[in-house]
Amino acid sequence: MPRFLTLADVAEQLQINSPQAYALVRSGELKAIQVGGRGQWRIEEKMLEQYIEDRYTEAGRMIEEAKNKVHQP
């Protein structure tokens, strides 16, 4: 895999559409850089992997919180 991915590449890997991938970049959730005269967005592979890892961590936290709420008197 190349070092940098396009928004289309990211969208394909995450199984979302390109506008959703762009929204992740705009919100700052997914770190990206602009390159070239037309400001094309590129996402480094390790940034995508970090984003995915962060989502797993967040999902685990949410599951634990839900479990704790169920077991509270």
Side-chain angles (χ1 to χ4, degrees):
M1 188 181 302
R3 178 176 177 179
F4 291 98
L5 306 168
T6 64
L7 286 174
D9 295 333
V10 169
E12 182 179 331
Q13 287 198 32
L14 295 177
Q15 297 181 358
I16 60 176
N17 61 38
S18 289
Q20 288 172 313
Y22 181 56
L24 291 173
V25 169
R26 274 195 343 255
S27 72
E29 288 183 71
L30 179 59
K31 292 184 181 182
I33 59 172
Q34 280 189 304
V35 296
R38 299 187 71 173
Q40 298 292 312
W41 288 101
R42 294 294 181 265
I43 299 88
E44 197 168 3
E45 180 184 4
K46 69 180 182 178
M47 292 294 105
L48 177 59
E49 293 303 322
Q50 182 62 54
Y51 170 78
I52 293 168
E53 185 62 34
D54 291 347
R55 299 292 63 79
Y56 275 115
T57 300
E58 179 65 15
R61 187 189 62 73
M62 290 171 48
I63 291 168
E64 285 302 314
E65 284 181 5
K67 282 183 189 177
N68 291 337
K69 285 182 182 180
V70 169
H71 297 300
Q72 289 180 352

